[in-house]
Amino acid sequence: MKSDKTFDLRSSLLLYAVTDRHWTGEKSLYQQTEEALLGGATLVQIREKDLNEADFEKEALELQALCKKYKVPFIVNDNVALAKKIDADGVHVGQEDMNACKVRELLGPDKILGVSAQTVEEAILAEKQGADYLGVGAVFPTGTKSDAIDVPLSTLQAICKAVKIPVVAIGGITKDNLCQLKGSGIAGISVISALFAQKDIKAAAEELKKRTLEIV
């Protein structure tokens, strides 16, 4: 089912929201995600490290329906089998996850494949293996991912120049520091706490989107 590449991928990567239930508080993840979408999030990735498979699938189906309502791509982090089962728009894998070639083989040509990269070599290889976009970072210090490797701005710029596919910056990005990424060549930013840790998620999304449009 060609549910994904009907999206303009580059523009869909502008404000890439990654879910994190650690910030839900009194709201549900569904409510938080809808607020982010109302504020202008252009893509949603569901990221769950601690849920069992049944609960992960239930949550994924709920957020997938929400993304369809707002006409934005819905991506599953790491879990290729689940992405395939629910016919998600795509999947994102890290360097320690399944090989990009294998993911592409399992998902077919019509799904969005994102791959994490920290070096020019990793980026070029991911593109050759079928990646549609790259997630590069951490571009700033981050508490969300304890094993994140710092990627200097010079490397981010070099990766953007080395590949033809779009690049999203990730890691520690806030409304106050994203201006430092201007001129790097990125298509957008990927954020977690800059959205979901905020009291007013919709307003945070609006501000992030506005500031990102000024630098890409």
Side-chain angles (χ1 to χ4, degrees):
M1 181 178 176
K2 294 188 179 182
S3 59
D4 50 77
K5 291 185 182 175
T6 53
F7 297 108
D8 173 21
L9 183 58
R10 179 170 282 273
S11 60
S12 293
L13 295 171
L14 183 71
L15 181 55
Y16 186 131
V18 181
T19 67
D20 188 341
R21 62 178 46 257
H22 293 111
W23 303 107
T24 49
E26 295 176 0
K27 296 175 183 175
S28 68
L29 194 65
Y30 184 96
Q31 288 173 313
Q32 285 197 320
T33 304
E34 183 155 38
E35 288 176 21
L37 289 165
L38 284 166
T42 53
L43 182 150
V44 172
Q45 179 196 124
I46 184 171
R47 182 175 182 267
E48 288 290 359
K49 297 296 182 182
D50 305 314
L51 274 189
N52 63 55
E53 198 69 17
D55 288 338
F56 191 178
E57 181 177 340
K58 181 175 180 289
E59 183 180 83
L61 286 167
E62 290 172 353
L63 295 189
Q64 181 183 33
L66 184 63
C67 288
K68 281 182 179 173
K69 176 182 170 184
Y70 286 89
K71 296 181 172 60
V72 305
F74 176 71
I75 304 287
V76 176
N77 178 265
D78 291 353
N79 196 323
V80 180
L82 178 62
K84 188 173 174 65
K85 183 178 180 181
I86 67 171
D87 195 30
D89 295 308
V91 72
H92 186 95
V93 294
Q95 289 293 318
E96 305 304 315
D97 302 316
M98 190 184 293
N99 178 279
C101 277
K102 181 65 175 173
V103 179
R104 175 57 75 202
E105 186 183 316
L106 288 169
L107 292 183
D110 299 317
K111 294 298 180 186
I112 300 167
L113 173 55
V115 178
S116 298
Q118 283 80 37
T119 67
V120 171
E121 291 76 19
E122 287 178 356
I124 291 171
L125 180 59
E127 183 177 36
K128 284 179 181 174
Q129 291 179 334
D132 293 303
Y133 75 88
L134 301 172
V136 176
V139 293
F140 299 111
T142 174
T144 304
K145 206 164 183 282
S146 58
D147 60 345
I149 301 168
D150 290 338
V151 175
L153 181 60
S154 58
T155 300
L156 177 63
Q157 290 171 322
I159 288 172
C160 289
K161 286 178 181 174
V163 297
K164 293 177 182 175
I165 56 176
V167 172
V168 178
I170 187 168
I173 298 169
T174 69
K175 65 181 176 65
D176 298 316
N177 66 18
L178 70 85
C179 60
Q180 296 176 42
L181 302 173
K182 187 171 185 177
S184 61
I186 59 170
I189 60 167
S190 180
V191 289
I192 301 177
S193 59
L195 270 180
F196 295 112
Q198 308 309 307
K199 268 191 174 179
D200 190 336
I201 294 171
K202 179 175 178 286
E206 289 170 345
E207 184 67 18
L208 284 166
K209 190 173 186 179
K210 178 188 168 194
R211 293 191 184 198
T212 306
L213 279 167
E214 292 170 356
I215 68 154
V216 298

